[in-house]
Amino acid sequence: MGTSQSLRSSGSSRRLKADRGCQLSGAQILIESLLHEQVDTVFGYPGGAVLNIYDELYRAQGRIAHYRSQHEQGAVHMADGYARSTGKVGVVVVTSGPGATNAVTGIATAHMDSAPLVVITGQVPRALIGTDAFQEVDTIGITRPCCKKNFLVQEAGQLAATIQEAFQVARTGRPGPVVVDIPKDVAAEKTTWYRHELPPSLPPSDRAACSLEMVSIAVKSLMAAKRPVLYIGGGVVSSGAGPELRELAEKLSIPVTSTLMGLGAFPSSHPLYLGMLGMHGTYCANMAISEADLILAVGVRFDDRVTGKVEEFGRQAKIIHVDIDPRSINKIVPVQIPIAGDAKQVIRSILYELASQNGNLGGVHGRRKKWLNQIAGWRRFAPLASGNSSKEIQPQYLMQELYRRSPKDVIFTTDVGQHQMWAAQYCSLEEPRRWITSGGLGTMGFGLPAAIGAQAGNPEKQVVAIVGDGGFLMTCQELATAVRYQIPVKVVIMNNRFLGMVRQWQELFYENRQSQVEGNGPADFVKLAEAFGAQGLRTSSPAELPNLLEKGLAMPGVVVMDVHVAQLENVYPMVPSGASLREMVLGPEQPIRGYPALRSPEPAPERSLPSDMA
Ligand SMILES: Cc1ncc(C[n+]2csc(CCOP(=O)(O)OP(=O)(O)O)c2C)c(N)n1
């Protein structure tokens, strides 16, 4: 039994011995540090530079569960899915060279979406660094621009403090991935280690205090506004500010729209909820933002997929921007009321200030009536199309049926493409941390491994990966991981035999020249699932679909449901790239300004709003 294990097996005499210090290797100190951070789950892939670490992971079996992926990208997405669904830091171990470079897509994905990870990469021995040694890459250089912070550990004596800092950085402020590069000889080297060297774990968030003066100005503006909108994003999920936001929205009758990353932070069935905004957002959300006189933006970063033409975004509105990361404020749009701070704390401060007005909200609800009526009109004018299917399965119908048949507390992960947008539109969620998608980097191949990580962290929940046929083939080998560890994820392939989202853009903006977007030949996903030891089901019939979903979701083990949908369906509404949110295209019958209408031989009449809504 290794020294680290004997240290763990408590007993006061042993503790005393530990306090007098003992000789541990860098790898043993790493394991002690992970246990100190209460890590019980690690994802990774072994190799030469991390042999010592894997030897200690072997000894730590029973205390740390390790899931070995089939590719390092998969391991990082798994840790990411685990982190986003549990709120804990996800941990990854990969080897040097190709192990580290394979991990980069996962690290960049987590970085863009602010997911807290600690990624431990092996490195060649210190004496070989810079010599083009076997499996040497400059991991620090490569990962610098796509992680929150990285460390090259120079000696075993630095490991405990470095790991602690890495966890603290990963989960504090705007969360993100941290890379710790450990040369092989540092992992092997022994040093005197004292248990009391491990200081108590630092709190998960700095809960930075915000400017009370700004809060007070924000409250006045919120009370005075005639057409306010709350625009929320992933920062609300990471700070757990959902309940406070709901209280605020209800207290002041403020309608709420969410980014792709914020879905679930505000209950989608709530009457004040407008749906997602942005490129494939709802008509009423995009109109509300465009017409608002006040936007309270919380935990968002004004991504270009959200704002459309940025000069037009919320042009009539005063903007209050609450964000933990002061660098995000005033970065894309000028903000009149900046509040740097943790979303939960700031919204609490706003609620506190409102409460101090002794319930005298100055007739705010009456003032909002006209605005809420106008929004109701937009909602009625252009609701999301319902996916009626007779001959073929419409993608919208698939999403509606999947949502209807999934348990209320289901966790959905998605890949990237049309299916992701339809899932966002139709699989509306009531709670945070149930919607896991690659929003910022838009990484195809994310859905399946993220689902495996989410399922590992939430064994009691149903986890469903919604993927496209293209993205599924990027990481489908992770089915082997799910089967091996009996992680019973369900995979729903929205199979349109196209790289659908790219085909949609080629149709709409490149005169339908379909360049390299056709499907994957006779790829048989049922056989593929079976080859990995999973179960496969397939349908292309609208009548069969409900039963297939019911059956597939209820089956034990890993199940792949290959659902053949209409091939040429496009995602609407759509704001063409670079257009303002008002220039949404609602459906195929409506030509996109500057582009020929491909679907209708005659130019379709412009859809116009009823006069009271124009
Ligand atoms: C790794 C990666 N490569 C390329 C792209 C560009 N891309 C965005 S969506 C898309 C098509 C996805 O096709 P599929 O997985 O079949 O999903 P669908 O759009 O049909 O739902 C592509 C190629 C990407 N987002 N990620």
Side-chain angles (χ1 to χ4, degrees):
M1 183 179 280
T3 326
S4 66
Q5 206 150 358
S6 53
L7 278 172
R8 274 275 131 184
S9 50
S10 65
S12 54
S13 61
R14 286 220 169 90
R15 240 185 260 127
L16 269 178
K17 205 168 148 201
D19 278 344
R20 284 205 306 274
C22 59
Q23 290 289 301
L24 291 193
S25 71
Q28 288 171 328
I29 294 174
L30 171 66
I31 300 297
E32 288 298 325
S33 303
L34 294 180
L35 289 167
H36 184 67
E37 294 292 339
Q38 285 160 23
V39 171
D40 57 14
T41 306
V42 170
F43 303 88
Y45 203 99
V50 285
L51 276 169
N52 298 72
I53 296 173
Y54 269 85
D55 200 33
E56 291 308 321
L57 280 168
Y58 179 83
R59 294 168 201 260
Q61 283 175 60
R63 292 177 295 155
I64 297 181
H66 179 281
Y67 295 97
R68 202 208 73 211
S69 63
Q70 312 308 313
H71 186 289
E72 289 83 353
Q73 178 188 351
V76 187
H77 291 331
M78 287 175 201
D80 190 332
Y82 176 89
R84 294 194 210 191
S85 61
T86 60
K88 299 183 198 165
V89 176
V91 181
V92 186
V93 180
V94 297
T95 194
S96 64
T101 53
N102 275 351
V104 167
T105 299
I107 296 169
T109 303
H111 190 47
M112 290 289 272
D113 290 343
S114 308
L117 300 183
V118 169
V119 181
I120 292 151
T121 52
Q123 184 52 277
V124 300
R126 284 167 289 188
L128 295 185
I129 291 178
T131 66
D132 291 339
F134 177 63
Q135 293 194 328
E136 181 189 6
V137 291
D138 176 8
T139 302
I140 293 296
I142 290 171
T143 58
R144 182 168 293 125
C146 62
C147 71
K148 199 170 164 194
K149 189 163 181 176
N150 58 20
F151 301 87
L152 174 62
V153 184
Q154 305 283 357
E155 49 188 68
Q158 294 176 349
L159 253 167
T162 307
I163 294 295
Q164 194 186 35
E165 189 179 343
F167 274 84
Q168 176 67 359
V169 171
R171 64 186 159 213
T172 300
R174 180 176 173 183
V178 177
V179 174
V180 183
D181 201 25
I182 307 180
K184 184 171 182 180
D185 58 329
V186 170
E189 169 180 80
K190 290 215 163 165
T191 188
T192 310
W193 180 85
Y194 302 91
R195 175 165 294 284
H196 65 254
E197 264 182 3
L198 290 173
S201 262
L202 297 167
S205 157
D206 55 5
R207 297 276 184 232
C210 57
S211 152
L212 290 180
E213 193 192 334
M214 281 300 169
V215 167
S216 187
I217 296 172
V219 167
K220 285 197 186 88
S221 303
L222 282 166
M223 302 274 289
K226 291 201 179 78
R227 302 186 306 280
V229 174
L230 245 158
Y231 150 40
I232 64 172
V236 174
V237 177
S238 31
S239 86
E244 286 78 6
L245 273 168
R246 181 180 178 159
E247 193 182 334
L248 178 65
E250 286 172 351
K251 203 164 223 158
L252 296 183
S253 293
I254 308 180
V256 182
T257 178
S258 169
T259 67
L260 183 70
M261 298 308 299
L263 295 179
F266 191 82
S268 58
S269 61
H270 197 286
L272 285 168
Y273 186 59
L274 307 175
M276 184 170 79
L277 82 168
M279 182 172 276
H280 294 295
T282 62
Y283 181 74
C284 76
N286 283 345
M287 287 306 289
I289 276 280
S290 304
E291 290 292 316
D293 66 350
L294 181 88
I295 296 172
L296 171 55
V298 187
V300 297
R301 57 188 180 87
F302 295 86
D303 178 76
D304 53 287
R305 283 286 197 267
V306 165
T307 60
K309 190 176 180 186
V310 72
E311 305 79 46
E312 300 287 326
F313 182 81
R315 219 174 51 170
Q316 308 182 35
K318 189 189 268 185
I319 299 181
I320 306 169
H321 188 186
V322 178
D323 205 280
I324 190 83
D325 179 8
R327 285 168 309 179
S328 295
I329 301 179
N330 274 317
K331 184 168 142 191
I332 310 283
V333 295
V335 165
Q336 290 73 35
I337 308 174
I339 308 182
D342 175 73
K344 198 176 181 77
Q345 293 302 104
V346 175
I347 305 302
R348 273 193 185 160
S349 304
I350 291 178
L351 288 169
Y352 185 77
E353 174 103 8
L354 281 171
S356 69
Q357 321 222 344
N358 295 329
N360 177 13
L361 297 177
V364 78
H365 294 285
R367 265 207 303 291
R368 302 279 196 262
K369 241 186 186 151
K370 196 166 161 215
W371 178 227
L372 294 178
N373 280 342
Q374 189 169 18
I375 285 173
W378 287 326
R379 212 193 280 272
R380 279 194 305 277
F381 174 68
L384 287 172
S386 77
N388 289 328
S389 294
S390 52
K391 281 203 227 80
E392 290 183 297
I393 299 175
Q394 296 297 326
Q396 302 89 333
Y397 177 62
L398 164 62
M399 297 307 165
Q400 286 168 322
E401 286 298 308
L402 175 61
Y403 180 63
R404 187 173 326 162
R405 287 176 161 72
S406 301
K408 278 279 156 288
D409 62 349
V410 64
I411 296 177
F412 286 123
T413 70
T414 81
D415 229 84
V416 172
Q418 289 184 311
H419 64 280
Q420 178 189 31
M421 293 301 125
W422 278 311
Q425 291 176 340
Y426 293 92
C427 295
S428 20
L429 294 147
E430 298 292 307
E431 285 178 25
R433 300 200 182 279
R434 304 264 187 275
W435 169 256
I436 295 167
T437 195
S438 169
L441 199 64
T443 307
M444 284 171 73
F446 176 80
L448 171 59
I452 294 171
Q455 185 80 82
N458 300 270
E460 76 295 351
K461 295 218 159 68
Q462 176 136 74
V463 180
V464 179
I466 306 173
V467 301
D469 46 312
F472 178 61
L473 283 175
M474 285 198 174
T475 52
C476 64
Q477 74 277 15
E478 299 303 346
L479 283 176
T481 315
V483 170
R484 177 173 171 208
Y485 294 102
Q486 299 179 12
I487 299 177
V489 290
K490 312 296 177 233
V491 182
V492 174
I493 307 175
M494 191 204 84
N495 189 348
N496 52 15
R497 284 84 73 212
F498 270 116
L499 299 179
M501 188 55 98
V502 180
R503 186 208 55 73
Q504 172 167 347
W505 282 57
Q506 291 177 346
E507 179 190 331
L508 299 177
F509 308 114
Y510 294 85
E511 297 174 336
N512 207 19
R513 285 185 295 279
Q514 293 180 358
S515 182
Q516 302 300 324
V517 288
E518 66 291 343
N520 301 294
D524 182 329
F525 292 125
V526 171
K527 279 193 187 147
L528 184 136
E530 287 166 0
F532 281 113
Q535 305 180 77
L537 302 170
R538 176 185 300 121
T539 188
S540 54
S541 145
E544 274 175 25
L545 179 69
N547 276 345
L548 177 127
L549 292 173
E550 200 93 42
K551 184 173 160 197
L553 293 174
M555 275 159 92
V558 183
V559 182
V560 174
M561 289 163 259
D562 178 20
V563 180
H564 286 231
V565 298
Q567 285 196 277
L568 298 177
E569 194 65 20
N570 288 340
V571 185
Y572 293 108
M574 180 177 190
V575 178
S577 183
S580 79
L581 294 187
R582 283 172 189 282
E583 295 174 276
M584 249 164 311
V585 177
L586 293 176
E589 75 282 5
Q590 187 187 7
I592 292 183
R593 198 148 58 84
Y595 295 93
L598 291 166
R599 293 287 177 84
S600 48
E602 297 296 323
E606 287 270 330
R607 272 171 96 140
S608 56
L609 277 173
S611 55
D612 60 324
M613 282 185 246

